[in-house]
Amino acid sequence: KAQQGAAQAFGTLYVAIVYTPSSVRHGNQINVGVTSAIPGSNIHVTTNRGGNYTVPVPSTGHVTVHIPGTYAGTLRITVTDAGWPLVVRNVPIT
């Protein structure tokens, strides 16, 4: 699934597309991809299960955050860029 969010840096509006899987099997890695993020900033991905991941955004503005697999249930993923909220999504883990 892809969802758009917006972040702003230095008076420029960046539209980011965030990709997360629609569902994942337990134990499998979860990839959160962000396209057109703010170059030079950091993408922060947090989960409701205590996960907290930070990845610097390269000049291309494309970044993928790898979240380790987790147990069955629902994983709530929150993605921010330079402190600006992009996406909050619930991903079912089967």
Side-chain angles (χ1 to χ4, degrees):
K1 286 186 172 180
Q3 186 171 344
Q4 288 189 2
Q8 191 167 13
F10 311 111
T12 302
L13 181 66
Y14 287 85
V15 175
I17 300 173
V18 180
Y19 298 92
T20 60
S22 54
S23 66
V24 171
R25 290 190 53 80
H26 74 278
N28 290 348
Q29 178 176 286
I30 302 163
N31 296 325
V32 177
V34 181
T35 302
S36 297
I38 301 171
S41 65
N42 290 307
I43 292 291
H44 297 280
V45 178
T46 57
T47 71
N48 63 328
R49 295 185 184 174
N52 190 358
Y53 311 91
T54 301
V55 177
V57 178
S59 61
T60 62
H62 306 286
V63 67
T64 300
V65 180
H66 306 288
I67 301 173
T70 186
Y71 54 88
T74 300
L75 183 67
R76 183 180 174 107
I77 297 173
T78 302
V79 181
T80 61
D81 185 3
W84 295 90
L86 296 179
V87 168
V88 176
R89 176 164 296 142
N90 291 319
V91 176
I93 310 295
T94 60

